[in-house]
Amino acid sequence: MHYVCVSWTHKNTDIALREKLSLLEFSQKKLLQSLLLEKNILECMLLSTCNRVELFLYSIDPSLACKQVVKSMSKLCEINEANLSQRADFFEDSSAIHHLFSVASSLDSLVVGETQIAGQLKESFSFAIENNFCAKNLSRALHFAFKCGAKIRTQTEISKNPVSVASVAITKAKDLANLEGKDVLVLGAGQMSELLCKHLLGTKADITVLSRNYEKSKNLALALGVKNEDISKLKELVNSCEFIFCATSSKDPVITDELLEEVEFKRYFFDIAVPRDVDIKENDKVKVFVVDDLKDVVKKNLALRESEAHNAYAIIGKMTVEFFRYLDDLELNPIIKDLRLIAKDCAQKELKKAIKKGYLKNSDKEEARKLIHQVFKAFLHTPTMKLKHLEGKVQSDTVANAMRYIFALDEKAQGLDEYKCEYAVENKNEI
């Protein structure tokens, strides 16, 4: 069995292709369901963000799994199969785990050190678990990935003064003009919009938040001390604000040419949504920036974090080796064997004591041994059956580690809460 990753990111695709690949919840289910119909693919999970669309799989034949993913994505997204295959990066086993750990640690992000990816990965994992798309094997990998990310955040300064796509967009805007006193519109009321507003507060801009979900945008505006307007004011605000930042989850463009009117000042649109929110023609008074246009600012960020990234990759390498060593130690059959050996050893010791103290005659030794063996065999029957029943299930790692600890098969209580994944998934309905 093999771990596999098929990846389309900002490194190998442009925003136009990632936009076509981005999948809403219903399509995600459809894709993952279709993949699990393939006998070759045993578990799967999809990570879809503004900068990446990646499939993590557990499969029998990794080469075939990659072809099946490309074929399914091509059919669902209506993209040429050969083009998808040519653009994709394929990872297998140790390289797949190393890549997953790099993603979880934000080393593979457009903005190295950004903190959003961990939450996005946990959301994707929760979605896959809740819909039975992944089980024991991907769960093991994901929880190790979260542990790796946490270790890198605490042992390096990769996330010191954390940045994000939102902060990079604001930095780009500040390079264009002094935002103090400028009318700025933030379209959307989700996590990205909140980050945009928080970074904008330091510029002393005149901020207005607008979303189709009025209550959500109202609460965001109240929390941050900025203005809030109803969706009916969209056209008015688009034509009165110099800077417009868009970060909604709409599958269709929110700002189109029909909304725009001629104005005397220059307007800058920052579209950090995928699929894109802005579909307008540029001219000398209208400039649109998308995620891929922020790479010059990102390069500066990467240079500043290069030494810390080197330290982080060293941790990822060690954690990858540790993960596969961990898998080797998790088989249930050795636990069953060890339990029986412990029982046998215990029986022999107690039998020897009983004969020495005169509780049993030496001539009765063989019969007593057979009786004790039958007693332990009967006693261990239920635990043995329970352990065998757990093979292939998500809970098996937790139970296996508990058994190792309780019966002193391992001195450490490793992984007793291995599947505890505390992450509050927020409702992200936006405009």
Side-chain angles (χ1 to χ4, degrees):
M1 304 301 175
H2 303 270
Y3 286 100
V4 178
C5 176
V6 182
S7 171
W8 294 275
T9 72
H10 60 279
K11 293 182 177 180
N12 59 19
T13 62
D14 56 23
I15 192 169
L17 182 56
R18 296 201 304 276
E19 193 171 48
K20 291 179 182 178
L21 289 170
S22 65
L23 298 163
L24 299 177
E25 186 170 313
F26 175 78
S27 297
Q28 287 185 28
K29 282 186 178 181
K30 189 174 181 180
L31 171 66
L32 297 176
Q33 284 170 346
S34 70
L35 289 175
L36 286 182
L37 290 176
E38 305 285 354
K39 292 182 180 179
N40 178 56
I41 296 175
L42 307 177
E43 300 177 34
C44 54
M45 187 195 89
L46 171 72
L47 174 64
S48 181
T49 74
C50 62
N51 287 314
R52 67 184 62 246
V53 175
E54 297 184 305
L55 276 298
F56 296 96
L57 315 164
Y58 192 70
S59 74
I60 299 170
D61 183 336
S63 179
L64 177 59
C66 292
K67 292 176 182 176
Q68 289 167 332
V69 166
V70 171
K71 185 176 180 180
S72 294
M73 290 293 284
S74 172
K75 184 177 179 181
L76 186 63
C77 301
E78 298 180 349
I79 304 173
N80 179 270
E81 192 173 329
N83 183 32
L84 274 182
S85 182
Q86 186 178 8
R87 295 289 191 93
D89 285 326
F90 302 102
F91 303 93
E92 178 185 339
D93 290 328
S94 60
S95 63
I97 294 301
H98 189 280
H99 178 71
L100 173 62
F101 290 2
S102 299
V103 171
S105 307
S106 84
L107 269 293
D108 196 66
S109 296
L110 176 67
V111 183
V112 175
E114 56 95 0
T115 54
Q116 283 182 286
I117 190 63
Q120 292 166 330
L121 190 58
K122 286 178 181 177
E123 281 186 318
S124 297
F125 173 57
S126 296
F127 179 83
I129 281 287
E130 288 164 9
N131 290 280
N132 298 314
F133 296 132
C134 75
K136 178 184 73 174
N137 299 290
L138 282 183
S139 295
R140 288 172 173 174
L142 266 294
H143 285 290
F144 237 83
F146 299 143
K147 185 162 64 174
C148 181
K151 191 170 186 177
I152 285 172
R153 286 191 293 275
T154 56
Q155 295 188 7
T156 74
E157 295 189 348
I158 198 73
S159 295
K160 186 178 181 181
N161 301 318
V163 292
S164 64
V165 173
S167 66
V168 171
I170 303 304
T171 300
K172 183 70 176 179
K174 287 162 66 177
D175 287 343
L176 298 169
N178 181 359
L179 298 183
E180 184 174 355
K182 299 283 187 184
D183 290 323
V184 173
L185 172 64
V186 175
L187 193 57
Q191 187 180 25
M192 188 70 80
S193 298
E194 182 178 348
L195 286 172
L196 283 166
C197 288
K198 285 179 177 178
H199 288 294
L200 281 167
L201 287 172
T203 69
K204 298 182 181 180
D206 190 3
I207 308 164
T208 300
V209 178
L210 185 149
S211 170
R212 186 173 60 188
N213 188 327
Y214 180 76
E215 284 301 313
K216 191 171 182 180
S217 61
K218 179 183 176 182
N219 291 335
L220 176 60
L222 285 172
L224 299 178
V226 299
K227 292 186 292 187
N228 176 50
E229 289 290 354
D230 184 77
I231 187 66
S232 61
K233 299 282 188 178
L234 177 59
K235 184 171 183 177
E236 178 184 331
L237 288 166
V238 164
N239 291 297
S240 62
C241 293
E242 295 183 49
F243 288 84
I244 297 97
F245 295 87
C246 304
T248 84
S249 59
S250 174
K251 64 179 181 179
D252 299 311
V254 179
I255 298 177
T256 59
D257 286 319
E258 289 72 24
L259 281 177
L260 268 60
E261 297 175 350
E262 289 287 336
V263 295
E264 295 182 357
F265 54 88
K266 189 168 184 176
R267 281 172 289 182
Y268 299 95
F269 293 82
F270 289 83
D271 187 356
I272 55 177
V274 178
R276 284 172 284 188
D277 287 329
V278 181
D279 183 15
I280 57 177
K281 294 176 182 176
E282 293 184 280
N283 55 50
D284 58 343
K285 289 189 176 180
V286 174
K287 176 65 178 173
V288 180
F289 295 95
V290 295
V291 173
D292 289 1
D293 295 322
L294 306 176
K295 289 183 178 178
D296 55 338
V297 181
V298 169
K299 285 179 182 177
K300 296 177 184 178
N301 161 261
L302 184 60
L304 291 171
R305 295 167 187 265
E306 201 167 289
S307 61
E308 290 304 310
H310 178 77
N311 296 333
Y313 274 119
I315 293 172
I316 289 171
K318 290 179 182 177
M319 290 287 284
T320 300
V321 172
E322 185 181 332
F323 174 70
F324 284 99
R325 187 181 297 128
Y326 168 78
L327 293 185
D328 291 339
D329 293 339
L330 277 176
E331 295 299 326
L332 293 174
N333 284 335
I335 293 178
I336 295 170
K337 183 180 177 181
D338 287 347
L339 284 176
R340 292 185 177 276
L341 287 173
I342 288 174
K344 182 179 179 181
D345 184 60
C346 181
Q348 290 175 337
K349 286 180 179 178
E350 293 304 313
L351 183 59
K352 196 173 183 179
K353 285 181 185 178
I355 293 171
K356 186 177 182 181
K357 291 183 178 182
Y359 300 149
L360 286 173
K361 295 178 182 178
N362 196 53
S363 58
D364 297 328
K365 178 180 178 181
E366 188 58 26
E367 293 301 315
R369 188 192 64 76
K370 289 180 181 179
L371 175 62
I372 294 172
H373 174 73
Q374 287 302 116
V375 170
F376 272 110
K377 187 177 178 181
F379 174 75
L380 290 173
H381 176 74
T382 299
T384 299
M385 292 299 102
K386 290 283 188 182
L387 283 171
K388 287 183 176 179
H389 180 69
L390 281 173
E391 285 185 351
K393 296 187 177 180
V394 174
Q395 304 96 319
S396 64
D397 290 356
T398 302
V399 174
N401 285 320
M403 294 290 286
R404 291 175 186 279
Y405 177 66
I406 291 169
F407 289 96
L409 304 178
D410 193 336
E411 293 181 2
K412 298 178 182 179
Q414 296 177 353
L416 296 184
D417 60 348
E418 198 66 39
Y419 290 99
K420 187 177 181 182
C421 179
E422 295 181 354
Y423 180 72
V425 179
E426 298 179 3
N427 181 2
K428 297 198 174 183
N429 293 325
E430 295 189 30
I431 183 169

mmCIF file of all heavy atoms in Angstrom, residues 319-348:
data_model
loop_
_atom_site.group_PDB
_atom_site.id
_atom_site.type_symbol
_atom_site.label_atom_id
_atom_site.label_comp_id
_atom_site.label_asym_id
_atom_site.label_seq_id
_atom_site.Cartn_x
_atom_site.Cartn_y
_atom_site.Cartn_z
ATOM 1 N N MET A 319 10.998 14.186 10.803
ATOM 2 C CA MET A 319 9.631 13.760 11.102
ATOM 3 C C MET A 319 9.128 12.745 10.075
ATOM 4 O O MET A 319 8.348 11.847 10.401
ATOM 5 C CB MET A 319 8.698 14.964 11.151
ATOM 6 C CG MET A 319 8.905 15.881 12.339
ATOM 7 S SD MET A 319 8.316 15.175 13.886
ATOM 8 C CE MET A 319 6.547 15.383 13.718
ATOM 9 N N THR A 320 9.580 12.879 8.833
ATOM 10 C CA THR A 320 9.192 11.914 7.795
ATOM 11 C C THR A 320 9.749 10.535 8.119
ATOM 12 O O THR A 320 9.035 9.524 8.035
ATOM 13 C CB THR A 320 9.703 12.373 6.414
ATOM 14 O OG1 THR A 320 9.145 13.651 6.099
ATOM 15 C CG2 THR A 320 9.304 11.378 5.327
ATOM 16 N N VAL A 321 11.014 10.488 8.517
ATOM 17 C CA VAL A 321 11.637 9.217 8.912
ATOM 18 C C VAL A 321 10.919 8.651 10.138
ATOM 19 O O VAL A 321 10.624 7.451 10.207
ATOM 20 C CB VAL A 321 13.139 9.423 9.216
ATOM 21 C CG1 VAL A 321 13.746 8.152 9.804
ATOM 22 C CG2 VAL A 321 13.890 9.832 7.950
ATOM 23 N N GLU A 322 10.630 9.517 11.089
ATOM 24 C CA GLU A 322 9.955 9.102 12.316
ATOM 25 C C GLU A 322 8.568 8.530 12.027
ATOM 26 O O GLU A 322 8.127 7.568 12.654
ATOM 27 C CB GLU A 322 9.836 10.301 13.273
ATOM 28 C CG GLU A 322 9.251 9.953 14.632
ATOM 29 C CD GLU A 322 9.134 11.168 15.532
ATOM 30 O OE1 GLU A 322 9.934 12.108 15.365
ATOM 31 O OE2 GLU A 322 8.229 11.177 16.394
ATOM 32 N N PHE A 323 7.877 9.131 11.045
ATOM 33 C CA PHE A 323 6.530 8.667 10.706
ATOM 34 C C PHE A 323 6.538 7.227 10.208
ATOM 35 O O PHE A 323 5.736 6.396 10.642
ATOM 36 C CB PHE A 323 5.916 9.571 9.633
ATOM 37 C CG PHE A 323 4.592 9.083 9.114
ATOM 38 C CD1 PHE A 323 3.459 9.102 9.902
ATOM 39 C CD2 PHE A 323 4.497 8.583 7.817
ATOM 40 C CE1 PHE A 323 2.246 8.638 9.431
ATOM 41 C CE2 PHE A 323 3.282 8.119 7.327
ATOM 42 C CZ PHE A 323 2.154 8.145 8.135
ATOM 43 N N PHE A 324 7.461 6.903 9.308
ATOM 44 C CA PHE A 324 7.511 5.540 8.773
ATOM 45 C C PHE A 324 7.998 4.540 9.821
ATOM 46 O O PHE A 324 7.589 3.374 9.816
ATOM 47 C CB PHE A 324 8.371 5.496 7.514
ATOM 48 C CG PHE A 324 7.672 6.067 6.315
ATOM 49 C CD1 PHE A 324 7.926 7.364 5.895
ATOM 50 C CD2 PHE A 324 6.718 5.332 5.629
ATOM 51 C CE1 PHE A 324 7.256 7.908 4.802
ATOM 52 C CE2 PHE A 324 6.041 5.859 4.538
ATOM 53 C CZ PHE A 324 6.301 7.151 4.127
ATOM 54 N N ARG A 325 8.824 4.996 10.754
ATOM 55 C CA ARG A 325 9.231 4.135 11.864
ATOM 56 C C ARG A 325 8.020 3.876 12.774
ATOM 57 O O ARG A 325 7.813 2.769 13.271
ATOM 58 C CB ARG A 325 10.356 4.801 12.657
ATOM 59 C CG ARG A 325 10.971 3.900 13.734
ATOM 60 C CD ARG A 325 12.063 4.633 14.498
ATOM 61 N NE ARG A 325 13.166 4.992 13.629
ATOM 62 C CZ ARG A 325 13.668 6.216 13.539
ATOM 63 N NH1 ARG A 325 13.147 7.212 14.250
ATOM 64 N NH2 ARG A 325 14.676 6.469 12.733
ATOM 65 N N TYR A 326 7.229 4.913 12.941
ATOM 66 C CA TYR A 326 6.005 4.827 13.746
ATOM 67 C C TYR A 326 5.035 3.804 13.138
ATOM 68 O O TYR A 326 4.427 3.002 13.852
ATOM 69 C CB TYR A 326 5.373 6.218 13.799
ATOM 70 C CG TYR A 326 3.962 6.321 14.332
ATOM 71 C CD1 TYR A 326 3.714 6.281 15.701
ATOM 72 C CD2 TYR A 326 2.884 6.487 13.464
ATOM 73 C CE1 TYR A 326 2.413 6.410 16.184
ATOM 74 C CE2 TYR A 326 1.594 6.618 13.941
ATOM 75 C CZ TYR A 326 1.362 6.577 15.306
ATOM 76 O OH TYR A 326 0.085 6.702 15.776
ATOM 77 N N LEU A 327 4.899 3.803 11.808
ATOM 78 C CA LEU A 327 4.017 2.845 11.142
ATOM 79 C C LEU A 327 4.473 1.411 11.389
ATOM 80 O O LEU A 327 3.643 0.518 11.603
ATOM 81 C CB LEU A 327 3.978 3.110 9.633
ATOM 82 C CG LEU A 327 3.339 4.414 9.148
ATOM 83 C CD1 LEU A 327 3.302 4.430 7.627
ATOM 84 C CD2 LEU A 327 1.932 4.585 9.706
ATOM 85 N N ASP A 328 5.770 1.206 11.352
ATOM 86 C CA ASP A 328 6.310 -0.136 11.561
ATOM 87 C C ASP A 328 5.971 -0.670 12.952
ATOM 88 O O ASP A 328 5.834 -1.880 13.152
ATOM 89 C CB ASP A 328 7.833 -0.138 11.377
ATOM 90 C CG ASP A 328 8.242 0.087 9.928
ATOM 91 O OD1 ASP A 328 7.398 -0.150 9.038
ATOM 92 O OD2 ASP A 328 9.379 0.514 9.699
ATOM 93 N N ASP A 329 5.857 0.244 13.920
ATOM 94 C CA ASP A 329 5.607 -0.159 15.306
ATOM 95 C C ASP A 329 4.130 -0.325 15.633
ATOM 96 O O ASP A 329 3.777 -0.708 16.745
ATOM 97 C CB ASP A 329 6.204 0.880 16.266
ATOM 98 C CG ASP A 329 7.714 0.903 16.214
ATOM 99 O OD1 ASP A 329 8.299 -0.101 15.770
ATOM 100 O OD2 ASP A 329 8.308 1.926 16.608
ATOM 101 N N LEU A 330 3.265 -0.008 14.663
ATOM 102 C CA LEU A 330 1.834 0.016 14.974
ATOM 103 C C LEU A 330 1.068 -1.245 14.592
ATOM 104 O O LEU A 330 -0.140 -1.302 14.782
ATOM 105 C CB LEU A 330 1.180 1.212 14.271
ATOM 106 C CG LEU A 330 1.303 2.535 15.007
ATOM 107 C CD1 LEU A 330 0.708 3.638 14.168
ATOM 108 C CD2 LEU A 330 0.634 2.481 16.358
ATOM 109 N N GLU A 331 1.726 -2.235 14.062
ATOM 110 C CA GLU A 331 1.017 -3.451 13.665
ATOM 111 C C GLU A 331 0.411 -4.125 14.893
ATOM 112 O O GLU A 331 1.014 -4.180 15.965
ATOM 113 C CB GLU A 331 1.975 -4.409 12.962
ATOM 114 C CG GLU A 331 2.512 -3.880 11.647
ATOM 115 C CD GLU A 331 1.407 -3.614 10.630
ATOM 116 O OE1 GLU A 331 0.419 -4.356 10.625
ATOM 117 O OE2 GLU A 331 1.553 -2.649 9.864
ATOM 118 N N LEU A 332 -0.768 -4.645 14.736
ATOM 119 C CA LEU A 332 -1.482 -5.252 15.856
ATOM 120 C C LEU A 332 -1.014 -6.679 16.159
ATOM 121 O O LEU A 332 -1.035 -7.109 17.310
ATOM 122 C CB LEU A 332 -2.984 -5.255 15.564
ATOM 123 C CG LEU A 332 -3.643 -3.882 15.509
ATOM 124 C CD1 LEU A 332 -5.091 -4.015 15.077
ATOM 125 C CD2 LEU A 332 -3.563 -3.186 16.854
ATOM 126 N N ASN A 333 -0.595 -7.403 15.142
ATOM 127 C CA ASN A 333 -0.184 -8.792 15.361
ATOM 128 C C ASN A 333 0.963 -8.936 16.367
ATOM 129 O O ASN A 333 0.933 -9.836 17.208
ATOM 130 C CB ASN A 333 0.199 -9.453 14.035
ATOM 131 C CG ASN A 333 -1.018 -9.815 13.209
ATOM 132 O OD1 ASN A 333 -2.111 -10.006 13.756
ATOM 133 N ND2 ASN A 333 -0.854 -9.922 11.903
ATOM 134 N N PRO A 334 1.985 -8.049 16.306
ATOM 135 C CA PRO A 334 3.045 -8.145 17.322
ATOM 136 C C PRO A 334 2.514 -7.950 18.745
ATOM 137 O O PRO A 334 3.045 -8.537 19.688
ATOM 138 C CB PRO A 334 4.006 -7.025 16.935
ATOM 139 C CG PRO A 334 3.809 -6.870 15.475
ATOM 140 C CD PRO A 334 2.350 -7.096 15.261
ATOM 141 N N ILE A 335 1.477 -7.118 18.886
ATOM 142 C CA ILE A 335 0.904 -6.892 20.217
ATOM 143 C C ILE A 335 0.256 -8.173 20.733
ATOM 144 O O ILE A 335 0.436 -8.565 21.893
ATOM 145 C CB ILE A 335 -0.126 -5.750 20.180
ATOM 146 C CG1 ILE A 335 0.576 -4.425 19.883
ATOM 147 C CG2 ILE A 335 -0.895 -5.661 21.496
ATOM 148 C CD1 ILE A 335 -0.356 -3.249 19.776
ATOM 149 N N ILE A 336 -0.504 -8.847 19.860
ATOM 150 C CA ILE A 336 -1.153 -10.110 20.240
ATOM 151 C C ILE A 336 -0.096 -11.143 20.623
ATOM 152 O O ILE A 336 -0.218 -11.847 21.639
ATOM 153 C CB ILE A 336 -2.019 -10.625 19.075
ATOM 154 C CG1 ILE A 336 -3.173 -9.654 18.816
ATOM 155 C CG2 ILE A 336 -2.553 -12.021 19.374
ATOM 156 C CD1 ILE A 336 -3.956 -9.941 17.545
ATOM 157 N N LYS A 337 0.964 -11.209 19.813
ATOM 158 C CA LYS A 337 2.044 -12.153 20.089
ATOM 159 C C LYS A 337 2.717 -11.833 21.422
ATOM 160 O O LYS A 337 2.982 -12.738 22.238
ATOM 161 C CB LYS A 337 3.069 -12.101 18.953
ATOM 162 C CG LYS A 337 4.207 -13.103 19.101
ATOM 163 C CD LYS A 337 5.173 -12.983 17.928
ATOM 164 C CE LYS A 337 6.350 -13.941 18.126
ATOM 165 N NZ LYS A 337 7.325 -13.834 16.994
ATOM 166 N N ASP A 338 2.973 -10.549 21.660
ATOM 167 C CA ASP A 338 3.630 -10.143 22.907
ATOM 168 C C ASP A 338 2.761 -10.445 24.122
ATOM 169 O O ASP A 338 3.268 -10.841 25.184
ATOM 170 C CB ASP A 338 3.962 -8.651 22.866
ATOM 171 C CG ASP A 338 5.114 -8.330 21.930
ATOM 172 O OD1 ASP A 338 5.805 -9.286 21.513
ATOM 173 O OD2 ASP A 338 5.318 -7.153 21.616
ATOM 174 N N LEU A 339 1.460 -10.256 23.995
ATOM 175 C CA LEU A 339 0.549 -10.557 25.106
ATOM 176 C C LEU A 339 0.606 -12.040 25.467
ATOM 177 O O LEU A 339 0.612 -12.417 26.649
ATOM 178 C CB LEU A 339 -0.883 -10.165 24.742
ATOM 179 C CG LEU A 339 -1.223 -8.677 24.766
ATOM 180 C CD1 LEU A 339 -2.652 -8.464 24.280
ATOM 181 C CD2 LEU A 339 -1.056 -8.100 26.165
ATOM 182 N N ARG A 340 0.631 -12.889 24.461
ATOM 183 C CA ARG A 340 0.683 -14.333 24.697
ATOM 184 C C ARG A 340 2.022 -14.738 25.317
ATOM 185 O O ARG A 340 2.077 -15.629 26.187
ATOM 186 C CB ARG A 340 0.438 -15.089 23.395
ATOM 187 C CG ARG A 340 -0.997 -14.914 22.884
ATOM 188 C CD ARG A 340 -1.269 -15.768 21.666
ATOM 189 N NE ARG A 340 -2.653 -15.614 21.260
ATOM 190 C CZ ARG A 340 -3.675 -16.283 21.780
ATOM 191 N NH1 ARG A 340 -3.454 -17.160 22.763
ATOM 192 N NH2 ARG A 340 -4.906 -16.094 21.355
ATOM 193 N N LEU A 341 3.105 -14.093 24.896
ATOM 194 C CA LEU A 341 4.422 -14.378 25.478
ATOM 195 C C LEU A 341 4.484 -13.953 26.940
ATOM 196 O O LEU A 341 5.072 -14.641 27.782
ATOM 197 C CB LEU A 341 5.510 -13.666 24.677
ATOM 198 C CG LEU A 341 5.825 -14.260 23.298
ATOM 199 C CD1 LEU A 341 6.805 -13.362 22.545
ATOM 200 C CD2 LEU A 341 6.402 -15.677 23.437
ATOM 201 N N ILE A 342 3.874 -12.802 27.246
ATOM 202 C CA ILE A 342 3.824 -12.327 28.632
ATOM 203 C C ILE A 342 3.049 -13.319 29.496
ATOM 204 O O ILE A 342 3.446 -13.653 30.618
ATOM 205 C CB ILE A 342 3.167 -10.931 28.707
ATOM 206 C CG1 ILE A 342 4.113 -9.881 28.126
ATOM 207 C CG2 ILE A 342 2.810 -10.570 30.147
ATOM 208 C CD1 ILE A 342 3.494 -8.500 28.020
ATOM 209 N N ALA A 343 1.893 -13.791 28.963
ATOM 210 C CA ALA A 343 1.067 -14.751 29.695
ATOM 211 C C ALA A 343 1.846 -16.049 29.952
ATOM 212 O O ALA A 343 1.817 -16.611 31.061
ATOM 213 C CB ALA A 343 -0.207 -15.040 28.906
ATOM 214 N N LYS A 344 2.550 -16.520 28.919
ATOM 215 C CA LYS A 344 3.328 -17.757 29.046
ATOM 216 C C LYS A 344 4.445 -17.606 30.080
ATOM 217 O O LYS A 344 4.655 -18.490 30.933
ATOM 218 C CB LYS A 344 3.918 -18.118 27.685
ATOM 219 C CG LYS A 344 4.704 -19.424 27.680
ATOM 220 C CD LYS A 344 5.245 -19.714 26.282
ATOM 221 C CE LYS A 344 6.056 -21.022 26.284
ATOM 222 N NZ LYS A 344 6.604 -21.318 24.928
ATOM 223 N N ASP A 345 5.130 -16.478 30.023
ATOM 224 C CA ASP A 345 6.224 -16.220 30.963
ATOM 225 C C ASP A 345 5.708 -16.133 32.396
ATOM 226 O O ASP A 345 6.312 -16.671 33.330
ATOM 227 C CB ASP A 345 6.928 -14.921 30.570
ATOM 228 C CG ASP A 345 8.131 -14.634 31.443
ATOM 229 O OD1 ASP A 345 9.068 -15.454 31.468
ATOM 230 O OD2 ASP A 345 8.128 -13.574 32.103
ATOM 231 N N CYS A 346 4.571 -15.455 32.554
ATOM 232 C CA CYS A 346 3.959 -15.300 33.877
ATOM 233 C C CYS A 346 3.566 -16.681 34.433
ATOM 234 O O CYS A 346 3.789 -16.983 35.616
ATOM 235 C CB CYS A 346 2.742 -14.409 33.767
ATOM 236 S SG CYS A 346 1.911 -14.110 35.342
ATOM 237 N N ALA A 347 2.973 -17.534 33.575
ATOM 238 C CA ALA A 347 2.543 -18.871 33.996
ATOM 239 C C ALA A 347 3.731 -19.714 34.452
ATOM 240 O O ALA A 347 3.667 -20.397 35.484
ATOM 241 C CB ALA A 347 1.821 -19.557 32.844
ATOM 242 N N GLN A 348 4.821 -19.680 33.706
ATOM 243 C CA GLN A 348 6.004 -20.460 34.050
ATOM 244 C C GLN A 348 6.611 -20.027 35.382
ATOM 245 O O GLN A 348 7.016 -20.860 36.200
ATOM 246 C CB GLN A 348 7.037 -20.352 32.925
ATOM 247 C CG GLN A 348 6.633 -21.087 31.652
ATOM 248 C CD GLN A 348 7.609 -20.872 30.516
ATOM 249 O OE1 GLN A 348 8.343 -19.886 30.495
ATOM 250 N NE2 GLN A 348 7.610 -21.796 29.548
#
